[in-house]
Amino acid sequence: MDDLTTEFERHRDLMYAVAYRMLGIAADADDVVQDAWLRWSSADRSGVDEPRAYLVRIATNLAINRLTSARARREAYVGPWLPEPVRTGPDVAESAELADSVSFAMLVVLERLTPVERAVFLLREVFGFSHAEIAEVTGRSEAGVRQLAHRARERVREGRPKYSADRAEQRRVTAEFIDACRGGDVDKLMEVLAPDVTMWSDGGGVRRAARNPIRGVEKVVRLATALVSMVWWEGAEPYEFADINGALGVILHEAPGDGGVVLLPEIADGRITALNVVVNPEKLRALHRGDVLNY
């Protein structure tokens, strides 16, 4: 492997991590990294003193451009739009800051920011770049970056939900929920779901899913039990726990050839307060390939 490739590969995970948090779609993040390689391999690098900053700048600006066009597509998306779930490595799971930054709750909140605000927030708050470095990445003044960072922090703080469950509690509550759905135990479901629980289902018009958020425990009980019973098939493994987007998620495997279902509950005070359900097979490809976000 030549020096050109070695330097790029050293920072590949970081570029992917930035691009995924910017875009919320693993395939788009992969495309950003590939495009970054094309630019890196063809650029005049004689004046590049810091390859890490240079490559992050390329990836960030590619992601900003993609996010600008992606938002128009999301406005026409069928039903709720959720990020594409990705498996996360142990370094992410063990860091509260990294886990929070890649959670569904955070990625949805980041949708409220402009593309540049999103880039500034992530580079500063998640990846630890200085205001001066971010100014170079985004082509803004350092004073302008500080203003963008402050505004982004305030908007994120206003929208960020609070969850307190540790990994053991996530596993216990989630297992109780799945087992209650399988057994049709309504009383247990009423116990494990918060009264004001909300369920988002992302089918993207490809698979059947609710087109609007489902709010309230009684409605969520009906829909959740129907969903689990629909995907279960004779001979299926019970379910698979997996580290997904920095938290404990559940993969329900359907009959061979089907895409499956991913459940990502958000838990506080021993109850599920929100339930994210991804059934769109186009958003499950990276998960089934076993791709891992390590940063």
Side-chain angles (χ1 to χ4, degrees):
M1 190 180 295
D2 59 26
D3 292 342
L4 175 71
T5 305
T6 299
E7 196 65 60
F8 185 86
E9 290 299 321
R10 182 177 295 129
H11 305 294
R12 175 185 286 274
D13 282 354
L14 174 59
M15 287 185 287
Y16 179 81
V18 172
Y20 174 75
R21 287 171 173 84
M22 283 287 296
L23 300 166
I25 298 294
D28 288 352
D30 284 332
D31 288 345
V32 163
V33 174
Q34 182 60 37
D35 289 346
W37 163 252
L38 295 176
R39 295 198 180 191
W40 168 253
S41 60
S42 61
D44 177 7
R45 297 176 302 282
S46 59
V48 176
D49 297 323
E50 296 290 341
R52 176 178 181 270
Y54 182 84
L55 287 167
V56 168
R57 181 174 68 196
I58 293 175
T60 299
N61 284 307
L62 287 168
I64 287 173
N65 292 338
R66 278 183 172 267
L67 187 57
T68 301
S69 60
R71 290 196 161 174
R73 297 195 303 271
R74 290 176 191 176
E75 289 177 0
Y77 196 80
V78 178
W81 181 92
L82 291 175
E84 180 177 352
V86 294
R87 295 178 187 267
T88 41
D91 288 346
V92 175
E94 292 171 6
S95 167
E97 291 79 10
L98 286 179
D100 179 61
S101 73
V102 78
S103 68
F104 264 38
M106 176 59 78
L107 293 177
V108 170
V109 169
L110 291 177
E111 288 289 304
R112 303 179 183 186
L113 306 183
T114 68
V116 176
E117 285 175 341
R118 190 164 181 163
V120 169
F121 177 84
L122 290 169
L123 291 177
R124 179 64 181 160
E125 301 297 324
V126 180
F127 299 105
F129 281 70
S130 69
H131 292 109
E133 289 172 321
I134 298 171
E136 186 175 351
V137 167
T138 60
R140 265 68 175 176
S141 68
E142 189 171 342
V145 165
R146 289 181 183 276
Q147 290 179 343
L148 285 168
H150 175 74
R151 185 161 65 240
R153 279 196 303 272
E154 290 299 311
R155 296 182 71 180
V156 169
R157 186 179 297 115
E158 291 170 0
R160 176 185 287 174
K162 304 298 182 183
Y163 303 112
S164 58
D166 59 21
R167 188 55 57 97
E169 185 178 33
Q170 289 176 26
R171 179 177 288 272
R172 177 185 63 78
V173 173
T174 303
E176 289 177 355
F177 168 74
I178 296 293
D179 291 341
C181 284
R182 292 179 64 196
D185 189 342
V186 174
D187 290 338
K188 185 62 178 178
L189 286 169
M190 297 292 284
E191 177 185 318
V192 80
L193 293 168
D196 58 350
V197 62
T198 301
M199 179 175 174
W200 285 269
S201 302
D202 184 338
V206 181
R207 293 286 303 274
R208 184 178 179 181
R211 300 245 178 143
N212 295 293
I214 305 300
R215 305 183 190 279
V217 65
E218 293 182 354
K219 292 180 180 179
V220 171
V221 164
R222 289 197 297 270
L223 189 60
T225 52
L227 173 69
V228 172
S229 63
M230 178 182 69
V231 301
W232 224 264
W233 57 284
E234 186 176 353
E237 293 297 324
Y239 45 84
E240 175 190 351
F241 280 118
D243 286 319
I244 301 174
N245 287 76
L248 196 66
V250 175
I251 303 173
L252 303 179
H253 298 286
E254 295 183 89
D258 289 331
V261 175
V262 169
L263 304 178
L264 282 168
E266 296 167 4
I267 299 167
D269 300 324
R271 285 183 160 185
I272 295 173
T273 57
L275 184 63
N276 301 296
V277 182
V278 181
V279 297
N280 183 350
E282 295 176 0
K283 288 189 175 181
L284 300 178
R285 292 170 181 167
L287 200 71
H288 293 316
R289 283 198 308 266
D291 296 358
V292 177
L293 182 70
N294 291 309
Y295 202 108

